[in-house]
Each structure stands twice: as structure tokens, then as C-alpha cells.
């Protein structure tokens, strides 16, 4: 089919996520046909750097022969079979690998198929755990400007009002603590969390947060020591801790998990996105024996965790995840990240000197470039100027794909990006920013 014919079909029938379809209908959609390494190629043969890792997913690059081969080998056996009443080898092996990799104590792996459901599972498990302790706890504590996905439970604990304000009437009650990135100091941020815990601790099931970086909130980085302090507070107030590492997991922070950098073991670890190297939809909620044991009992006690999805623990996705973990191990991927992170920091500090760059936020291979109209007064462009959208469109025309979060341009390249590729990608971003913000 030609590009024109496909465009007609797509515009007649497709509805895209987070997209104003009226604008889309008059746009010229790019059909991605193939990928190789850190680049994607469209049907017209144009190449683009995948500078947001296809929405923070891709880890080792596209078309990694080892992951391709693992998926093909599994498809030669069976593409899918259920985890209800049955199990399979890739699922069992992956669970053991994840338990061994995760921070200490997270021994149990519950599969689902996206980041939102990984968090839903943790929220429901936490709620049910307290029921099994004979306690009627219903509250959750979450962070303002946090994002945990788009299903209703995940939206309830999400603190990015712009995304989800319309659904407020559907949501359960959550106590929001200001983002630690906005606090005057670590002590102030910790005090805010303690105040929320002290107010209702015997009603609170869990604290849920994105450790170290609130990604969708605008790549907001928490002060060092915050995660550890929250862990200590949760212990002191007897509240569970859910670490949503859907975005930060699998090397993005420079460590395998953000929790590793902080030396923290949560009660639940939620994983998705990079779990399969960015190949296939798979998510996992890891829990401790303490949580798991609370769900054991006789049939008549009704203690099972009654939650599951049709594609829970899909074998193809598990095979991809195992191959991705092999690459991490064989190529010592994590050990190789430090020089890349330093390089990104160096180039970003040059970009920071541009007249309309108000600030840079970086944690590992995740960065946000904040665009401002007036640097000295830190004044933002009016919303209707869509400055972030314009810069990303310009970058696209120059051969680089990324997305804005409002006035913040995100840069989340695949871990496999070489120093040369990182330099080139950031060069394009720099030029796109300079072009779109040049003063008349
Ligand atoms: C921290 C975090 N949690 C959860 C999610 C939701 O994941 P999914 O889009 O796979 O449902 C995201 C997605 O961006 C995320 O960044």
C-alpha cells in the first residue's frame, strides 16, 4: 500500500493516545516501517534518532539480534498460553532472574502487561494486605506531579492534574504530598511526607512514588537522600512503600534500578517499559515474602489475589526480557553507562547557556531541557505558543524523535547509544531549540 492510501485508512479509523485528533487529521503522519540500533526509518526511507527510546522503552537498540532470536525461538514453540492454572519456562526463569536482580527482599513476581497495571496490582495488593491484617485501611499517599499510568487506580495516585483532571470524580481518595523536587530542602520535603503519614498513618495502605525522578511530571529530580528518608518514615509509621520504577528501571538512572542508587528496598517494585528491552508489552510487580505470605490460606478464607489479565506473563515477552537481561550481563551494560552520562551532562551544560534554556534536569540517561521566554525572570512562554511542540517538530524535521512535556524537552536515549550518537542527537536538539526560540 502507498503512503497516501495508508494515510487515508489511518485518518478514517485510528484514534491516537494523548492526541488532539482534529490536529492529527490535518497532519501528515509518519509511518515507521523499520528500526536499527538507535534509529527508526519511515516508509519514505527517512531516518530518525529514537531520542525518547520509543516512549522510554528501548534499551539495547532496535533489531538486537539476540532479542530477535529469542522471540523467534519462542514463537517456534508457542506464542501465548495462560498463567491461570498453568505456567511456562520463560515466565519461571524470568521471575527468578528479576528476584535476583531486584533490591533485597523482593522475592515474588506478579506479571501484567503495562506500567499502569503493574501499579494497579501493587495498589490492590497493598489494600488487600491490610485487609488480611484485619485493618480497614483505604488511603494512599502519593506525590504531586507524579505519574503512574492511565488506568483509574493509577490515575487516582497520579499528580499531574493536566493529564487527568477531567476524571477527578471517578477517583479514590489520595493524600498528595508536594513533589520533593519543589521543596526548599531535603529536610522540608521529608517533613511534608512525615506530616501526611502522621495525620492518618493507621488508615494509609501505602506510599507510592517514582524513585529519584518524576518523569512525566517534567523530569523532576528529588534531592539526594529523599527515597531513603521516605523508606525510614514508612517503617516508622508502619506503611508500605511502592516504588514505581516503570520508567526509571533497567538502567535509565545509571544503575539497574533507582532504588539501588539509594540503597532502598521497597515493599513493592513496579516494572514495565524497559523490562523487555522495549520489545513487547510486559510488566511485573515484585513483592516481599511478608506481602506474599499474607495471601496464603484455605479456600474458605478468600485470601487469593483476585486479579489477572489475559496476556499476563506472555511467553514471547518473557523470552525477550530474558534475552535483554542476558545482554545487560554479557555486555556489562550498567558499568558502561558512566561515561555516557558524563558526556550528556557536558553537552547539556553547553545547551544550558542558550538564551531561552531556563534549566537542565538530568538523572542518568534521562534529561529535561526547560524552555523559558525570559531567562532572567524565569518566565515561561504562553501555553498557546506550544513552544515544546514546535521544538520537537523542528527536531523531527532534522531527523530526531522526542516529545515535550509542556515546556520541557525530554531526552531519554536508548542505553545502547554510542558517544558519537549521543553527541549528534544533542546537537540536533540544540539546533532545534536555537531555531525555534530565536528572537525576532
Ligand atoms: C513512572 C511511570 N509509571 C507508569 C507508567 C505507565 O506505563 P504504561 O504506559 O506502560 O501503562 C509510566 C508511563 O510513562 C511511567 O512513566
Amino acid at each position: 500500500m502507498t503512503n497516501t492510501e495508508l494515510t487515508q485508512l489511518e485518518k478514517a479509523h485510528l484514534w491516537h493516545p494523548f492526541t488532539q485528533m482534529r490536529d492529527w487529521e490535518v497532519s501528515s503522519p509518519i509511518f515507521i516501517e523499520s528500526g536499527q540500533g538507535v534509529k527508526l526509518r519511515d516508509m519514505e526511507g527517512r531516518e530518525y534518532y529514537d531520542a525518547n527510546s520509543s516512549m522510554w522503552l528501548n534499551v539495547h537498540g532496535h533489531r538486537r539480534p539476540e532479542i530477535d532470536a529469542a522471540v523467534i525461538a519462542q514463537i517456534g514453540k508457542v506464542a501465548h498460553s495462560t498463567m491461570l492454572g498453568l505456567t511456562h519456562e520463560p515466565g519461571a526463569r524470568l521471575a527468578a532472574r528479576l528476584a535476583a536482580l531486584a533490591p533485597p527482599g523482593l522475592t515474588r513476581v506478579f506479571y501484567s502487561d503495562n506500567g499502569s497495571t503493574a501499579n494497579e496490582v501493587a495498589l490492590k495488593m497493598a489494600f488487600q494486605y491490610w485487609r488480611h491484617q484485619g485493618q480497614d485501611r483505604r488511603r494512599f499517599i502519593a506525590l504531586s506531579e507524579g505519574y503512574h499510568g492511565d488506568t483509574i487506580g493509577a490515575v487516582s495516585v497520579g499528580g499531574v492534574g493536566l493529564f487527568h483532571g477531567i476524571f477527578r470524580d471517578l477517583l479514590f481518595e489520595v493524600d498528595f504530598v508536594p513533589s520533593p523536587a519543589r521543596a526548599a530542602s531535603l529536610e522540608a520535603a521529608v517533613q511534608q511526607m512525615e506530616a501526611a503519614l502522621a495525620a492518618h498513618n493507621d488508615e494509609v495502605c501505602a506510599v507510592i512514588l517514582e524513585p529519584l525522578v518524576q518523569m512525566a511530571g517534567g523530569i523532576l529530580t528529588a534531592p539526594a537522600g529523599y527515597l531513603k528518608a521516605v523508606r525510614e518514615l514508612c517503617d516508622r509509621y508502619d506503611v508500605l512503600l511502592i516504588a514505581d520504577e516503570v520508567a526509571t528501571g533497567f538502567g535509565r538512572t545509571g544503575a539497574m534500578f533507582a532504588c539501588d542508587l539509594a540503597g532502598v528496598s521497597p515493599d513493592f517494585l513496579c516494572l514495565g517499559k524497559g523490562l523487555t528491552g522495549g520489545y513487547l508489552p510486559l510488566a511485573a510487580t515484585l513483592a516481599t515474602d511478608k506481602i506474599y505470605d499474607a495471601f496464603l490460606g484455605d479456600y474458605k478464607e478468600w485470601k487469593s489475589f483476585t486479579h489477572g489479565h489475559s496476556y499476563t506473563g506472555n511467553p514471547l515477552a518473557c523470552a525477550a526480557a530474558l534475552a535483554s537481561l542476558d545482554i545487560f550481563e554479557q555486555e556489562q551494560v550498567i558499568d558502561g553507562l558512566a561515561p555516557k552520562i558524563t558526556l550528556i551532562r557536558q553537552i547539556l551544560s553547553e545547551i544550558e547557556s542558550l538564551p531561552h534554556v531556563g534549566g537542565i534536569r538530568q538523572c542518568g540517561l534521562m534529561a529535561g531541557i526547560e524552555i523559558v521566554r525570559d531567562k532572567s525572570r524565569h518566565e515561561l512562554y504562553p501555553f498557546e505558543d506550544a513552544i515544546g511542540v514546535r521544538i520537537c517538530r523542528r527536531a523531527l524535521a532534522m531527523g530526531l524523535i522526542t516529545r515535550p512535556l509542556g515546556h520541557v524537552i525530554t531526552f531519554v536515549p536508548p542505553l545502547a547509544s554510542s558517544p558519537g550518537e549521543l553527541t549528534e542527537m544533542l546537537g540536533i536538539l540544540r539546533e532545534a531549540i536555537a531555531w525555534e526560540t530565536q528572537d525576532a
Side-chain angles (χ1 to χ4, degrees), residues 56 114-116 119 147-149 210 244 246-247 273:
W56 315 339
N114 63 76
S116 310
N119 288 320
Y147 176 75
H148 302 288
E210 294 161 87
D244 173 359
V246 168
K273 291 193 185 278

Side-chain angles (χ1 to χ4, degrees), residues 385-402:
D385 270 20
I387 185 67
V389 174
R390 284 200 280 121
I391 290 170
C392 290
R393 276 200 198 128
R394 172 74 49 186
L396 187 68
M398 296 166 72
L400 177 137
I401 296 169
T402 193

Side-chain angles (χ1 to χ4, degrees), residues 331-349:
E331 298 188 358
Q332 300 179 327
V333 170
I334 299 294
D335 293 344
L337 294 179
K340 298 184 189 185
I341 294 167
T342 307
L343 176 69
I344 295 171
R345 182 163 302 125
Q346 276 163 2
I347 304 178
L348 285 176
S349 73

Side-chain angles (χ1 to χ4, degrees), residues 178-240:
S179 163
R182 308 288 186 196
S185 63
L186 170 64
E187 291 69 31
V190 174
Q191 262 171 23
Q192 285 164 337
M193 178 59 79
E194 177 151 22
L197 281 162
H200 303 288
N201 71 309
D202 54 358
E203 295 170 44
V204 176
C205 297
V207 171
I208 180 166
L209 49 67
E210 294 161 87
L212 303 195
V213 191
Q214 293 180 289
M215 288 288 284
I219 324 277
L220 300 173
T221 51
Y226 182 73
L227 186 59
K228 204 166 186 76
V230 172
R231 171 73 275 182
E232 283 163 13
L233 284 175
C234 286
D235 288 341
R236 185 147 20 109
Y237 286 91
D238 194 21
V239 165
L240 301 170

